[in-house]
Amino acid sequence: MQCYTELTPPTAVTHALTLPFLAPSSNNLVVAKTSLLQIFRWKTIITEVDGTQDNHAAVDENPQVPSRRDLESENNEQTFLGTDLTIQRAERIHSTKLILVAEYSLPGTVTSLARIKTLNSKAGGEALLVAFRDAKLSLVEWDPERHSLSTISIHYYEGDDLLKSPWASDLSQYASYLSVDPSSRCAVLKFGARSLAVLPFHQAGDDLVMDDYDPDLDGENPEPKSSLKTVGGNTSSWPTPYASSFVLSLATVQPRLIHPLHLAFLYEYREPTFGVLSCEKSPSSSLLHERRDMLSYGVYTLELEQRQSTELLSISGLPYDLHRVIPLPLPVGGALLVGANELIHVDQAGKTNAVGVNEFAKQSSSFAMADQSDLQLKLEGCSIQQLGADNGDMAIILNTGELAILGFAMDGRSVSSVNVRRVTVDHGGKILQAGAFCTTLVDRGRILVGSEDADSVLLGWTQRSNRSAKQRQHMEMDDEDDLFDSADGEDQDDLYSGEAEQTQERKDASAALERSQAGDYVFRIHDILPNVAPTREIALGSPAFFPDSEQEKNSRDVVADLELVTPSGRGRAGGVAVMGRGIAPKVIGRFEFLEAQGVWSVCAKRPIAKGMVSQSSAKGKEGPEAAYALDIEYDRFMIVSKMSSTGADESAVYALTPTGFEELKGTEFEPSAGGTIDVGTLARGMRVVQVLGAEIRSYDGELGLSQIFPMADELTGAEPTVVSVSFADPYLLIVRDDASIVVLEADDSGDLDEVERGDALMSMKWLSGSLYRDRNGAIEMKSGREKSQGKVLMFLLNTQGGMQIYALPDLTKPIYVAEGLSYLPPMLSSDYTVRRSTTKETLTEVIVADLGDETASTPYMILRTANDDLTIYEPYHWRDGGSETSLSSSLHFLKIPNPHLPKSPAEAAHDDTEGNQGGRANPLRAVSNIGGYSTVFLPGSSPSFIIKSAQSIPKVLNLQGKAVRGMSGFHTGGCDRGFVYVDNNGIVRVSQLPPKTHFSETGWATRKVAVGSEVYTLSYHAPMGVYVIGTSEKEEFKLPEDDDFHHEWKREDTSFKPEIDHGFIKILNPITWTVVDTYELEPTESVICIKTLNLEISETTHERKPLIAVGTAILQGEDLSTKGNIYIFDIISVVPEPGHPETNRKLKLIAKEEVKGAVTALSEIGSQGFLLAAQGQKCMVRGLKEDGSLLPVAFMDMQCYVSVAKELKGTGLCIMGDALKGIWLTGYSEEPYKMNLFGKDVTHLSVMAADFLPDANQLFIIVADDNCNLHVLQFDPEHPQSLSGQRLIHRSAFHTGHFTTSINLLPSTLPRLSVTSPDDNDTSMTDSPTNHQDQDLATLPPHHLLITSQSGTLALLSPLTESQYRRLSALQTALLNSLEHACGLNPRAYRAVSALHAAGSAGTIGGGGGGGLGVGIGGGVNSGRNVVDGALLRQYMMLGSQRRAEICGRIGAEDWEVRADLDIVGGAGLGFL
């Protein structure tokens, strides 16, 4: 009984597509990251870079998009108030940035994306066709009314009746892909061995007499559409945009299409026409002498009505290594066939032009081709994308990330030759660090390069002409887009047409081709999508600082106990990613202020002296005037609300000076006036407003008192006190304790006057309020001058849970009213109503603020409940039919997913007691710029930042440390765009967000550290506080000349040699995250595994010491046997290099043992300090002797390839996983030394990763296979079907959707609640004579498993108690039926694992009872006890309060119980992170 929860989303981009999706004129980018679908728009901004650098020649090995946060210095001065300024002119360039519109977590694995032009859509744009694993298609469109995806249809082709061949393998064994006709007349899904699912789409003219009419070729239909009828308000003659689909077998299309390799629809045909690359025998490089030039390419037209096809042309004798068909639009046309060694262009008439790019092209094929073998290109895994529609040039992105250009020489309308040329380094030829998994043309001169191995980048290019550099730079500064070739339109001329206008277009295209070859392409990066994939394994280490440094002292109590480090990236993009669940601030200054209750920094403008200029007029100036303009942006004062020794509240003001804080004396600021509620500025920063409990005080820029505005009512004599305030220049909103509000306005002179309130406003009781200046018109939808000025809107929350919006200064009538806000519905509108209910949420605060970064920020409404839950709403507009309607009917609010849960009320009360705050309220704090982010801070017992970047939705991240009393932004010369806060211990810290760190993309604080080479494995050495990593670099492989059996190897004359990994062992110091020592392995030796083991180093004293054990493999090709080595290293302290104190660690080799076979796994075993090594087909226990040898003492014979070998620490139980033959459970005894086989898995799972999961007195083994499934096995010798423990009971299987790379057993910081109740059919393990370790299992602390994957996700598998499992499984069933799932997918079917996947032919499927997802295997026992889907459970918080209450009543649970369970499965046990 476990729950699987994804803690971070996938980050590796697998598919991308550009289309007008949100509106007819919009340009959108749709990105798929395995099971995450994201929709982007883009905009062009002006960025500044160092003027000394050449922005067009991108030669940086680790390119990054320049931003303020990335350019921050790692070592700021110790004084955080320094005002030394360095002004340097920067060059401005135009950059395109991606902005996320929406994202959806899909219960399915995306395999293809395609755009479909439908006759009618809700938004007017095109539809999106999404293909999923195992032959599923989902047609979706954008629904502007719901501001979300709308599923039009879903199509399944995974039935057994469609796979008519009885010997055909399962669907998952075949690659399925989608291809769409360029005119959107049909889509074809290739699935299975040779099956085609054809889905036709209705297009204009389908029901007309004009059978040969085509909208793309013949233009707009001139005849009136009199035969069309109205369906659902849209003009159409069909109820659906698609017709009935059908399935064809390629063998019926053409009998010789036995092994189809790839197919794609072609341009310039009236009927849907596709090209197929196939062969009659499966191609094989080992049988090249028999199967040389055996491929064929055929073009077939598809007749949708007759459901048949006709062959147009066929070309045979093609090279065996061709694998892909790329259709080419005009001006080139035809298709491009891509092979490993050559590129072949085939035009519409069947004429071919080929080019070989390495010496093997001629050796492996007799096909006629041009020789460009001097390029020495490897086209395996390359991506090819057209650069523009005008010239036909194509960019080739190699698997290494290098760039090349494919050009076509035109002779009239036909291609005369093709040529390939590399892009030089100074033109950005190596700007990409890894290969591309997908590419799509985004905009003019921009391509998105999606990658699984590195950050996905938005790549831009220009073409350099013969103009001078100065003229070119001037043009790019004016408008860089003028240099780009248009790539949006697709010119699809009639193949047989020879009209004059088409001829002219072709002439223009030919001229563009000549210009493209004359000019050189220059590439640079515009934007990036961060990616931490692939994450292979993890290491937990302590945060490190220089001993006795100021940074170490300042960071005390604000860093986590451990940080998670995982390998990230491949090739030159290799490195490590450092991750943490919360934000560990970079503390610049720290001091004790025990009586402080709140803190505010103030940016007050000084009175402008005579002869000086204002800030606005200083823009563009240099010298002292520019320095003065920068100076007045910095904060000058800090006001602290504190509690005196007598218990009275008072305030103090401090001046921020280069030497520290100095309390100001002699000003008109009165400390004894009372405690400060809030501080802000009005009148364009000329007035400092201090809000006290009973009055408002206004000061000038030098803290001279200008005005006192009392809260006492002169008519009634009442003396209400201020509860909360909100600033939006020139207005100030005050909420008082008598539930009334007051709005003040600052006039031109800075004096405060009360804004007249209406009767309705005065008669209602108000709980909270917020002011927001709508600068971008996102709420009122204004344009022009009104948008530029930005009207101030007031959001009010009344005591009944309703919300009203006023447009200041008019307070007579609200412009928007939403009475159902307290029900927290998924979509809020003014007409939202519910039936009589008492399940309102207790709201305490509302704030509307911008969230975002320097690229883009948008307003969000954030609601705070009584238990500190944060509900985030995004405003959007929808007008029915596009007519002008009122704001009340057009404005809607969409709830944003937020899985973050605050501390429980008991924990919060404990923190408040420790802090002795006396019940002081801590309102939400909006800060316009902290490290480049516009953010909102939640103080209190669960201090958190709400952070959003342009490429993510808002995420809530905890601030590491104690509870926070107050927080404010802090901007000085030594602390650029930081923040200051005081915690419950009275410690005031001046901090910044950690530099070079991403927050909202994954929901964890993530920093990538570049190593420059691929990191395969790593381990943390705690005594020395460093990481040991195993890396590799590619080197040319030459056959050994001294081999006794292959003398012909000496005569090898191949100049284009293959590459092989050359391994290195390196020490990575976490203080500076630099490599401080390297141990080089043999030329063909690579690192497989690294572990830190506590080994015995003395046979006499039995002393033990943590040492580094390394397992390697020596690979010299398939003709020579594989060998390996076991290295034992110690890490010693040495004298560091001058000026580099971090270089005081070095590797010391203690032992090296050469073994037969690769060393694939290492583990500590037993209680005597021995190690367990998987070497070849054996698992051997070895002991370290004093002479440096490793003495074997016990072994276990395995079968094929040992992928996992682990011990459950302290028990002697071991698991050994074979990549082909399943998992074994063994026991190790020391007297005598012996390994015994306890049980094995009889289903022969393909074990990719595995680990133990002890749960009270039950022992589970979690296994990840090669089909993205998790299997739960149990060792229970008392079970009747286990044969006394010889068989491991297969409890359940669960599909994750991500390829698992490692499973790691971690202790939980949560206390053990109760012992898991055994099932009715289970028996206890307590009395088992075979399992004498059962008592040890029962006393183990609670554990859970942290799972990494190739797509970059981190997931948690948590054991559940009986009550938790019943509660969560019932909740899961309720949510399955209550929620609308994106793309119409079924989460239950997605998580289920078929018997063929799970158990092969050895297992049996149990019943599908219970609320769990998955399949129980093995005798049907416990078949209902399946793994619970945590991703589905997290959507519980997306429901409204009333719907949550109904579900809780249905499952018999309280809301607090469900929230506690969600907190546990969501990672609450990872408290050390």
Side-chain angles (χ1 to χ4, degrees), residues 271-282:
E271 296 294 333
T273 304
F274 58 89
V276 181
L277 190 64
S278 65
C279 56
E280 297 185 16
K281 296 181 180 180
S282 179

Side-chain angles (χ1 to χ4, degrees), residues 1373-1439:
T1373 303
L1375 292 176
L1376 275 170
N1377 302 324
S1378 302
L1379 297 173
E1380 179 181 355
H1381 307 291
C1383 296
L1385 299 174
N1386 184 2
R1388 184 188 294 274
Y1390 173 58
R1391 297 303 189 184
V1393 179
S1394 65
L1396 181 64
H1397 289 171
S1401 59
T1404 57
I1405 302 180
L1413 300 180
V1415 174
I1417 309 295
V1421 178
N1422 205 18
S1423 57
R1425 301 288 182 172
N1426 298 312
V1427 179
V1428 183
D1429 187 1
L1432 189 61
L1433 297 178
R1434 283 189 165 192
Q1435 299 186 44
Y1436 170 78
M1437 300 302 296
M1438 283 292 292
L1439 300 175

Side-chain angles (χ1 to χ4, degrees), residues 682-946:
L682 295 177
R684 299 177 301 278
M686 302 300 295
R687 287 288 185 267
V688 178
V689 179
Q690 179 192 19
V691 181
L692 304 174
E695 61 188 19
I696 310 295
R697 293 186 170 226
S698 177
Y699 303 89
D700 61 17
E702 297 296 341
L703 294 185
L705 184 61
S706 301
Q707 184 182 6
I708 298 178
F709 194 97
M711 288 291 100
D713 193 337
E714 298 178 356
L715 298 178
T716 62
E719 296 182 356
T721 59
V722 178
V723 175
S724 63
V725 297
S726 179
F727 290 89
D729 197 9
Y731 297 101
L732 171 62
L733 170 64
I734 302 170
V735 180
R736 303 185 291 191
D737 59 355
D738 61 352
S740 64
I741 67 164
V742 175
V743 180
L744 304 181
E745 181 181 6
D747 56 19
D748 295 338
S749 62
D751 294 336
L752 299 176
D753 297 319
E754 183 176 353
V755 179
E756 184 177 355
R757 295 170 290 175
D759 295 337
L761 192 65
M762 297 178 63
S763 61
M764 192 169 292
K765 302 294 184 180
W766 303 105
L767 189 63
S768 177
S770 176
L771 297 181
Y772 173 74
R773 180 174 293 277
D774 191 16
R775 291 185 175 88
N776 297 322
I779 296 179
E780 280 202 297
M781 288 294 290
K782 300 296 182 180
S783 60
R785 183 177 180 182
E786 290 181 333
K787 179 178 178 180
S788 62
Q789 292 177 350
K791 185 176 292 186
V792 176
L793 302 178
M794 180 172 65
F795 293 75
L796 294 178
L797 175 66
N798 60 35
T799 55
Q800 302 300 320
M803 181 188 67
Q804 295 185 6
I805 303 177
Y806 291 82
L808 297 182
D810 185 9
L811 299 181
T812 58
K813 183 180 179 180
I815 61 175
Y816 187 88
V817 177
E819 296 295 344
L821 180 63
S822 59
Y823 294 100
L824 302 180
M827 189 184 72
L828 177 67
S829 61
S830 59
D831 55 354
Y832 175 80
T833 57
V834 295
R835 61 179 181 269
R836 182 177 299 176
S837 175
T838 59
T839 57
K840 290 184 177 182
E841 194 73 42
T842 305
L843 301 179
T844 60
E845 191 176 355
V846 60
I847 186 173
V848 179
D850 286 329
L851 297 178
D853 55 12
E854 297 168 339
T855 300
S857 60
T858 53
Y860 288 86
M861 180 174 66
I862 303 168
L863 302 173
R864 184 181 184 182
T865 65
N867 54 8
D868 277 350
D869 274 338
L870 295 178
T871 304
I872 306 172
Y873 280 96
E874 178 186 8
Y876 72 94
H877 287 265
W878 177 76
R879 292 187 174 95
D880 190 7
S883 59
E884 291 293 334
T885 57
S886 64
L887 183 68
S888 180
S889 59
S890 65
L891 180 61
H892 299 72
F893 293 88
L894 182 68
K895 184 186 286 189
I896 302 299
N898 176 27
H900 177 268
L901 292 173
K903 289 185 178 180
S904 64
E907 293 175 307
H910 180 263
D911 290 343
D912 290 342
T913 302
E914 284 186 347
N916 192 23
Q917 295 191 66
R920 176 186 174 86
N922 292 315
L924 295 171
R925 173 75 55 183
V927 185
S928 60
N929 192 344
I930 293 183
Y933 289 101
S934 297
T935 180
V936 173
F937 181 75
L938 170 67
S941 59
S942 302
S944 308
F945 280 101
I946 307 175

Side-chain angles (χ1 to χ4, degrees), residues 229-303:
K229 62 181 180 180
T230 301
V231 177
N234 294 327
T235 303
S236 176
S237 58
W238 302 278
T240 60
Y242 56 90
S244 299
S245 63
F246 55 93
V247 176
L248 287 178
S249 174
L250 283 174
T252 62
V253 174
Q254 178 58 251
R256 67 171 178 268
L257 299 180
I258 299 176
H259 296 282
L261 301 179
H262 195 256
L263 64 86
F265 278 96
L266 304 178
Y267 294 89
E268 301 183 82
Y269 288 92
R270 285 190 175 277
E271 296 294 333
T273 304
F274 58 89
V276 181
L277 190 64
S278 65
C279 56
E280 297 185 16
K281 296 181 180 180
S282 179
S284 173
S285 58
S286 60
L287 300 176
L288 188 59
H289 60 286
E290 296 179 2
R291 303 183 182 182
R292 183 186 180 97
D293 296 340
M294 55 174 296
L295 299 190
S296 63
Y297 172 73
V299 177
Y300 303 88
T301 180
L302 187 62
E303 300 176 4

Side-chain angles (χ1 to χ4, degrees), residues 54 56-63 424-431 523:
D54 184 5
H56 307 289
V59 297
D60 188 8
E61 291 295 326
N62 185 22
T424 59
V425 176
D426 58 332
H427 286 182
K430 292 187 177 181
I431 194 172
F523 294 88

Side-chain angles (χ1 to χ4, degrees), residues 100 115 138 186 205 243 382 396 434 465 564 612 623 700 828 865 1037 1087 1119 1164 1219 1334 1403 1442:
L100 181 69
R115 54 188 295 182
S138 182
C186 68
C382 72
I396 303 176
S465 62
L564 186 148
M612 299 300 293
D700 61 17
L828 177 67
T865 65
F1037 174 68
V1087 181
D1119 296 316
E1164 188 178 339
D1334 55 347
Q1442 182 179 0

Side-chain angles (χ1 to χ4, degrees), residues 453 532-537 539 565-577 1009-1019 1027-1033 1061 1064-1066 1068 1075 1087-1088 1090:
D453 304 333
V532 298
T535 53
R536 294 183 179 86
E537 58 183 35
V565 181
T566 177
S568 174
R570 289 193 176 102
R572 291 184 294 119
V576 297
V1009 179
V1011 177
S1013 56
E1014 187 169 352
V1015 180
Y1016 284 96
T1017 181
L1018 79 169
S1019 181
Y1027 295 89
V1028 179
I1029 60 176
T1031 67
S1032 70
E1033 296 178 2
D1061 289 332
F1064 298 85
I1065 304 170
K1066 301 179 180 180
L1068 187 65
V1075 175
V1087 181
I1088 305 297
I1090 296 179

